[in-house]
Amino acid sequence: MTGFSRRAVEKLSKLSAEQIQQLLNRLCDEEAALDAVLESLATGIIVCSVNGHLLMLNKAAERYIPFTTRPLENRDTELRVWEMIDDSDIVTFLKINYEHQKSNVSDEFSVPGPGGGIRFLSVKLMPLVQRCCIKGTIITVDDITEKRNQEILLRRMENLAGLTNLAANVAHEIKNPLGSISIHIQLMQKALAKARCSDGMLPDEKNAEKHLSVINEEIDRLNKIIMDFLFAVRPVSAQLELLDPNQLIQDCIDFCRPELQGLNIKQEISLDNSVPRLMLDSKLFRQVLVNLVQNAQAAMPDGGVLCIKTVVQNDCFVLTLADTGVGMDEATVSHVFEPYFTTKATGTGLGLTMVYKIIKEFSGDITVKSAVGKGSVFTISLPIPQGSRRLLTYTDEK
């Protein structure tokens, strides 16, 4: 209510019928203008009482939040706002913060979007203050999908910068089998030319098959190099959602446990219960875990201990995988994430490269520390998409 309207209401008893009508018209115009502003906002606005009952919301909030029912039609019921929402994560966030009387709290959520995609939302609770008292809560909802997609695109463009080095490695890898194929074709050509100049008989069958066998092997080798190259340069197509990393880690360990036990590898698992949900792709994160666990297995052929630990440090989720294996020297550690670098007789040298690409896709970082005979420790750090929290005291007014 404007200062003019407030003064007019205070003198209401002294106003004529015509002046009262003018005042009401002005108040209606002001309310209509405020409604127009509210409905025009791209940010979703939900206003609730201190008990969580819905007071008002705009169209943007109805678009973003998956409601189970039309909220305005149930505004006068005893339903709390979270009892109208069809998303367990948002429901838990609102319910817990109301129960603990917290405001100025924010979190990010992934919900089904239009066309079967994923929409990312930033939901924030702020106190509704009137006359120095908290009368309820304002819930703001912002669609941050485009922002997240731009961040993903930027990371993919940065990954392309490493293609020059990768292409040089592939060129070197291709050169050797091509040279071998060329040599064996020349040998067959000489044998055929010699046969034509003498008795016209074909070269010895075993000799020809020997050359052809080598050529076929080198062709298969070339095909594998090309397939590995395509795998390495293909952009990581991550379908990011807000997921519980501890649960994904536990599922992976449960899957790998029989094989680890068969190799006499003991598992020591320590998962921090305070770890929040992170922006992850479940399949890609599982691929990271499986690669690192398999590396640990290879490093402990006679058994050992694999320690997996999660913790929250400096607004980051930190995952460490430590083994008691053979370890690596400094030279190996410095090249471990490079394409085609491997210490295994049958390795492709792309496993840890892919792990590095996936972690970068998650806006994170991965490092390794190792020493010969003392094992290796891989450390993954991922950002936590969570705002600051501050506790405010609520009044008992509805």
Side-chain angles (χ1 to χ4, degrees), residues 44-71:
I45 304 291
I46 303 173
V47 182
C48 303
S49 70
V50 291
N51 296 320
H53 295 111
L54 180 65
L55 299 177
M56 66 173 66
L57 83 166
N58 64 354
K59 291 180 180 178
E62 285 193 86
R63 260 195 331 269
Y64 298 152
I65 298 293
F67 287 100
T68 57
T69 181
R70 292 190 63 84

Side-chain angles (χ1 to χ4, degrees), residues 10-210:
E10 290 172 354
K11 298 178 180 180
L12 190 62
S13 60
K14 300 178 182 180
L15 298 179
S16 65
E18 183 178 353
Q19 289 175 320
I20 292 175
Q21 183 63 48
Q22 291 176 352
L23 175 61
L24 291 174
N25 290 339
R26 180 162 180 171
L27 291 175
C28 288
D29 291 341
E30 289 182 0
E31 183 180 4
L34 290 174
D35 284 342
V37 171
L38 192 65
E39 295 298 339
S40 300
L41 292 175
T43 297
I45 304 291
I46 303 173
V47 182
C48 303
S49 70
V50 291
N51 296 320
H53 295 111
L54 180 65
L55 299 177
M56 66 173 66
L57 83 166
N58 64 354
K59 291 180 180 178
E62 285 193 86
R63 260 195 331 269
Y64 298 152
I65 298 293
F67 287 100
T68 57
T69 181
R70 292 190 63 84
L72 290 177
E73 294 177 359
N74 292 274
R75 182 168 54 182
D76 297 327
T77 66
E78 290 302 312
L79 290 176
R80 310 289 181 92
V81 67
W82 54 83
E83 295 172 335
M84 306 179 191
I85 296 175
D86 187 20
D87 185 277
S88 58
D89 292 332
I90 298 177
V91 167
T92 301
F93 171 72
L94 295 177
K95 189 175 181 180
I96 288 177
N97 284 295
Y98 260 91
E99 288 176 352
H100 292 83
Q101 297 184 348
K102 289 184 178 181
S103 59
N104 285 337
V105 185
S106 65
D107 203 347
E108 294 181 5
F109 302 90
S110 55
V111 299
I118 297 294
R119 171 180 274 164
F120 297 104
L121 302 177
S122 174
V123 180
K124 184 175 183 179
L125 275 66
M126 298 181 294
L128 175 63
V129 180
Q130 186 178 16
R131 297 178 183 177
C132 301
C133 293
I134 296 177
K135 301 293 186 178
T137 302
I138 300 174
I139 303 171
T140 63
V141 186
D142 288 293
D143 187 344
I144 57 173
T145 306
E146 186 63 27
K147 178 183 177 182
R148 290 285 170 262
N149 289 340
Q150 288 297 324
E151 290 174 355
I152 293 170
L153 180 61
L154 179 61
R155 289 195 297 275
R156 289 176 180 173
M157 291 176 65
E158 291 173 349
N159 289 338
L160 291 177
L163 284 180
T164 301
N165 182 47
L166 185 58
N169 288 332
V170 172
H172 178 75
E173 291 288 329
I174 289 177
K175 184 178 179 181
N176 293 331
L178 283 178
S180 179
I181 289 172
S182 176
I183 290 171
H184 284 273
I185 288 177
Q186 290 176 37
L187 291 173
M188 288 191 66
Q189 288 174 331
K190 288 180 180 179
L192 289 171
K194 183 178 179 180
R196 290 194 188 98
C197 294
S198 56
D199 55 9
M201 297 292 290
L202 290 173
D204 180 73
E205 184 177 351
K206 290 185 179 180
N207 184 47
E209 287 181 350
K210 175 184 175 182

